[in-house]
Amino acid sequence: MLTKRQNLIETIKGGNPDRFVKQYEAFAMMMKTPITRAKPPIGGEIVNEWGVTTRWPEGQLGAFPVHDDEHIVVKDITKWKETVKAPNVKHPEADWATAIAEANAVDRNDQYVTAFVAPGIFENVHYLMSMEEALMAFYEEPESMHELIDYLVEYELKLAKEFIDHIHPDAIFHHDDWGSQINSFMSPDMFEEFFVPAYKKIYGYYKENGVELVIHHSDSYGANLVPAMIEMGIDIWQGVMTTNNVPELIKEYGGQITFMGDIDSGVIDFPEWTQENIAEKVETACRRCGKLYFIPGASQGLNLSSFPGVYEATDEEIDRMTKEMF
């Protein structure tokens, strides 16, 4: 029997996996570093490391920035340098002790030691200035947007160095949502101009320094951005929703990139969830997407669910499909 890591490699290389990769099982997520993002508790509010006020209202599935006049960080993109200050990434070695111990405890033959980065470049831009203002600024103030993105890239490269120096990750799991359920937030041409060079620098740096896998989370439509993802160096697109026609993407791009998802969290992960519903959605995904270049899993961007039991129930159904298809 292959280890979790070996089975993942066989899947993404088009080899001979002996079972479906079960969601995040091959990734040992390193979440206790001193540079992992800050987020508010449910019902709470924080000012994060960038000065962005973020709230997680009761009853909602996640946190989001506050963009009223009192709280917004960038009110004028042409003056972004006056208010945007990159967080410190240098911390005492003692602050890394827990993360280093966790990384050292991982059997790297079985799992990838995986660094976690969120929010990504696009998300950080709209966290600082709001989604509406950010999308307009790509058209109205492209020079300033390029400058801000370059600044964020330099920060991410410093962040990457700290991860590499301290926990020596084998993989990077990077968040940056690039679309809604039905379309990308920007055209492929605009995406190519602003974000492909940025991510080629970031992901290129990781791979030049021993990181084997780049897993990028975007639980959205992004089929029109897949060529750009490949150019960036992404190995696994996690969060790919059913609106992307995943079987067609596998047929066209399998061997260049692997797709993780095809089970929309919104249709399985809710208060009245049932095993039967999860079983149906998992079986549909596994049968139509097949054994290679595909990892079945909810589109949720971590190894958890919004409602207790859903993640584990999904694992159980993936095990069932392994017995039926392998």
Side-chain angles (χ1 to χ4, degrees):
M1 182 176 176
L2 298 170
T3 69
K4 296 169 186 174
R5 180 169 177 154
Q6 290 166 346
N7 193 58
L8 178 91
I9 291 170
E10 291 296 312
T11 298
I12 69 177
K13 300 295 186 185
N16 294 292
D18 59 19
R19 60 195 184 278
F20 281 114
V21 176
K22 200 159 52 180
Q23 303 197 94
Y24 290 86
E25 66 175 357
F27 309 119
M29 306 296 295
M30 299 291 107
M31 303 298 290
K32 296 179 181 178
T33 82
I35 53 175
T36 300
R37 74 163 175 179
K39 62 179 180 179
I42 296 173
E45 171 184 303
I46 64 163
V47 178
N48 77 8
E49 60 271 28
W50 286 91
V52 176
T53 301
T54 309
R55 293 174 183 160
W56 191 332
E58 293 278 359
Q60 297 300 310
L61 298 182
F64 207 73
V66 181
H67 287 135
D68 57 30
D69 190 63
E70 178 186 350
H71 294 94
I72 197 165
V73 176
V74 177
K75 296 181 180 180
D76 181 345
I77 184 58
T78 65
K79 299 177 181 178
W80 69 267
K81 293 178 184 178
E82 297 177 8
T83 54
V84 178
K85 305 299 177 187
N88 171 50
V89 298
K90 293 290 186 180
H91 293 267
E93 291 302 303
D95 291 355
W96 281 93
T98 298
I100 291 170
E102 287 191 351
N104 289 342
V106 174
D107 177 359
R108 292 182 189 243
N109 186 52
D110 188 49
Q111 290 183 299
Y112 290 86
V113 171
T114 306
F116 173 83
V117 177
I121 301 297
F122 175 70
E123 288 183 357
N124 227 343
V125 167
H126 74 73
Y127 273 36
L128 290 165
M129 59 188 298
S130 85
M131 180 70 79
E132 295 86 351
E133 292 298 324
L135 291 176
M136 289 190 293
F138 287 116
Y139 291 97
E140 296 175 347
E141 299 290 345
E143 183 176 342
S144 294
M145 291 297 276
H146 275 296
E147 290 177 354
L148 176 57
I149 289 169
D150 287 346
Y151 185 75
L152 298 178
V153 168
E154 289 306 309
Y155 165 77
E156 282 227 15
L157 292 175
K158 293 175 184 176
L159 198 74
K161 185 178 188 304
E162 294 302 306
F163 281 127
I164 289 161
D165 288 350
H166 288 93
I167 61 172
H168 314 294
D170 308 299
I172 174 74
F173 184 66
H174 198 291
H175 272 229
D176 209 16
D177 289 336
W178 291 332
S180 68
Q181 291 189 36
I182 59 173
N183 210 342
S184 56
F185 290 131
M186 62 190 72
S187 70
D189 285 346
M190 181 171 282
F191 190 79
E192 180 80 26
E193 177 185 347
F194 286 94
F195 291 99
V196 171
Y199 273 106
K200 285 175 76 172
K201 286 182 182 178
I202 295 167
Y203 291 155
Y205 181 85
Y206 277 109
K207 290 197 170 182
E208 289 163 7
N209 286 277
V211 172
E212 295 180 21
L213 281 185
V214 170
I215 307 106
H216 186 99
H217 164 84
S218 180
D219 53 347
S220 62
Y221 180 85
N224 56 342
L225 304 180
V226 171
M229 294 185 200
I230 294 168
E231 184 180 353
M232 289 172 173
I234 294 171
D235 299 292
I236 299 171
W237 170 17
Q238 187 280 324
V240 57
M241 301 188 74
T242 56
T243 49
N244 289 281
N245 193 342
V246 183
E248 283 299 313
L249 291 178
I250 293 169
K251 182 178 179 181
E252 185 168 359
Y253 299 108
Q256 300 178 76
I257 191 171
T258 290
F259 302 91
M260 181 175 174
D262 202 49
I263 304 167
D264 299 345
S265 287
V267 301
I268 65 167
D269 193 1
F270 51 90
E272 297 81 20
W273 69 271
T274 66
Q275 191 79 31
E276 293 74 20
N277 179 57
I278 292 173
E280 176 191 344
K281 300 301 187 293
V282 170
E283 179 163 352
T284 297
C286 291
R287 292 199 184 280
R288 70 183 172 195
C289 294
K291 301 176 182 179
L292 301 178
Y293 316 120
F294 171 65
I295 299 169
S299 54
Q300 177 91 304
L302 266 177
N303 51 340
L304 45 77
S305 54
S306 295
F307 298 93
V310 171
Y311 187 88
E312 294 76 13
T314 305
D315 273 357
E316 291 174 13
E317 297 306 325
I318 295 170
D319 279 338
R320 180 177 65 83
M321 293 312 302
T322 284
K323 293 173 183 176
E324 293 196 16
M325 293 182 64
F326 281 81

